[in-house]
Amino acid sequence: MWIVLISSNWKCVGDSNDHASNMKGANDSLVVCFGEMLIDFVSTVAGVSLAEAPAFKKAPGGAPANVAVGISRLDGSSAFMGKLGDDEFGYMLSDILKQNNVDNSGVRFDSTARTALAFVTLKDDGEREFLFFRHPSADMLLRESELDINLLEQARIFHYGSISLISEPCRSSQFAAMRIAKKSGSILSYDPNLRLALWPSAEAAREGIMSIWDQADVIKISEEEITFLTGCDDPNDDKVVMDKLFHPNLKLLIVTEGSKGCRYYTKEFKGWVPGVKVKPVDTTGAGDAFVGGMLSNLASNLNLFEDEKLLREALLFANACGAVTVTERGAIPALPTKDAVLKLLGTLSLNS
């Protein structure tokens, strides 16, 4: 499904029939998400440090897994590919994918390493502080021989981040998965999702993130990531974005600005789409909800690259996905259904 705005009223219409690019068979809108899935232990009290937190509540997390669930919640088709520990947490996470109608056939289990854990506390402004336990964790140990090649070849979009690039053997597995997906005609979608604490150094993070930059068709970054990757003090400088981050093969570059909205850049046009104002409770998963909203639309209609009106509508929908998510705690538990997003957008139409 994709979204069009007609006379200020939101309505859902059927998939576009113009699938000029690769047809993948019966399921030609599958988004395969590759990378980490973990347990977030979130402080039960906001505004305190991790050391001061009196207790923690467990919640499923990991950006690629969040995106996969986000797409499914929006009635899209998604799969997750990665590795979990052969432990209670690992099987719990795999079951959560299944319960959310995400294809988990690409999940593998490792008997030598545990499922990754992250302790998270929420600051007064809703932003987060992380402490990761990955020494190593199972997601870092996915081998190329464990990749589900058939699943990769079915992907209309192959989505990934940068955390899997930090160490071997997962780094080589991600390279191989990207090659297989690209060869089969998939759109490659990249959200670096910078987590500096996981990298050996800032320079290693910058080098690793940029090492696959020119292979992506779609890239989503934040203002903070622009500053980190370019060294530029002004992430709003379009010239810096175009000169340093827009590569010749890129179809779409999106810069998220949190509650303010997002900017978009293609070879033909650029612009800004305003955010959807809500009262934030927890920003965890907001960026992943945005990506899920964007990719669910893109998987149904690749013409979004070429039609600025449709692209703007898809990005407003994605902004609304992020907005709904921040009104509840946790990432996966807070990811919205399509009805919830359309309801929020409907209030915008009524108030406009």
Side-chain angles (χ1 to χ4, degrees):
M1 303 289 282
W2 47 278
I3 307 301
V4 295
L5 186 60
I6 301 175
S7 302
S8 299
N9 292 318
W10 285 90
K11 56 189 295 187
C12 297
V13 298
D15 291 351
S16 168
N17 291 322
D18 183 13
H19 288 169
S21 62
N22 54 309
M23 294 294 289
K24 297 280 187 176
N27 182 5
D28 63 358
S29 61
L30 177 67
V31 180
V32 175
C33 301
F34 178 97
E36 70 281 1
M37 188 176 192
L38 60 148
I39 301 286
D40 285 332
F41 284 92
V42 184
S43 172
T44 56
V45 175
V48 299
S49 69
L50 287 169
E52 295 168 333
F56 296 88
K57 182 179 179 180
K58 73 177 187 296
N66 292 344
V67 171
V69 173
I71 291 169
S72 179
R73 289 264 176 90
L74 297 169
D75 300 333
S77 175
S78 65
F80 175 76
M81 182 174 291
K83 202 169 196 182
L84 302 169
D86 184 11
D87 52 45
E88 290 281 340
F89 285 146
Y91 289 104
M92 181 193 87
L93 291 176
S94 182
D95 286 344
I96 286 171
L97 291 172
K98 191 172 183 181
Q99 290 162 16
N100 283 278
N101 298 313
V102 175
D103 183 340
N104 65 355
S105 61
V107 172
R108 303 292 179 260
F109 295 91
D110 196 291
S111 59
T112 66
R114 298 299 190 192
T115 299
L117 307 178
F119 286 81
V120 188
T121 187
L122 304 172
K123 300 177 184 177
D124 288 330
D125 60 1
E127 291 301 321
R128 298 154 293 163
E129 176 188 343
F130 291 95
L131 178 62
F132 294 95
F133 284 76
R134 303 170 80 239
H135 307 289
S137 52
D139 60 289
M140 302 164 69
L141 302 180
L142 181 69
R143 298 187 301 273
E144 184 176 344
S145 60
E146 295 176 304
L147 296 175
D148 187 330
I149 295 175
N150 181 57
L151 187 61
L152 288 168
E153 290 177 340
Q154 292 179 50
R156 188 167 180 79
I157 298 173
F158 180 62
H159 177 72
Y160 49 87
S162 69
I163 290 174
S164 297
L165 301 174
I166 294 173
S167 62
E168 294 290 357
C170 195
R171 177 168 52 213
S172 292
S173 300
Q174 177 162 334
F175 291 158
M178 290 168 61
R179 285 195 303 270
I180 294 166
K182 191 72 172 178
K183 186 177 180 181
S184 71
S186 301
I187 292 289
L188 298 191
S189 167
Y190 184 25
D191 177 2
N193 193 37
L194 176 65
R195 292 289 181 265
L196 201 51
L198 295 178
W199 291 85
S201 67
E203 185 53 41
R206 197 174 292 110
E207 196 174 298
I209 288 170
M210 296 306 294
S211 69
I212 58 171
W213 196 263
D214 62 357
Q215 297 183 50
D217 299 293
V218 179
I219 297 176
K220 172 259 172 189
I221 51 173
S222 67
E223 292 179 297
E224 294 79 9
E225 287 164 343
I226 291 177
T227 301
F228 176 77
L229 294 173
T230 67
C232 175
D233 291 332
D234 183 9
N236 295 305
D237 188 333
D238 286 346
K239 189 176 188 306
V240 169
V241 172
M242 293 302 290
D243 290 351
K244 296 191 174 183
L245 297 176
F246 199 97
H247 65 76
N249 298 318
L250 193 58
K251 294 180 172 66
L252 176 63
L253 175 65
I254 297 171
V255 179
T256 53
E257 301 178 341
S259 62
K260 293 182 293 182
C262 66
R263 309 199 304 272
Y264 59 88
Y265 303 83
T266 73
K267 292 176 183 176
E268 305 300 327
F269 46 77
K270 64 182 180 181
W272 174 77
V273 177
V276 179
K277 300 298 182 184
V278 294
K279 185 176 181 180
V281 173
D282 177 5
T283 62
T284 306
D288 302 327
F290 174 93
V291 173
M294 178 190 68
L295 294 183
S296 65
N297 279 276
L298 182 59
S300 297
N301 183 11
L302 297 183
N303 289 333
L304 290 181
F305 293 136
E306 301 160 4
D307 188 321
E308 187 171 10
K309 182 175 180 290
L310 287 180
L311 177 62
R312 290 181 61 83
E313 290 162 2
L315 292 177
L316 181 58
F317 181 84
N319 282 344
C321 289
V324 174
T325 301
V326 303
T327 61
E328 297 184 32
R329 292 194 181 276
I332 285 179
L335 292 169
T337 62
K338 179 175 285 186
D339 285 345
V341 177
L342 294 177
K343 182 178 179 181
L344 179 58
L345 289 171
T347 64
L348 295 182
S349 299
L350 291 172
N351 293 330
S352 61

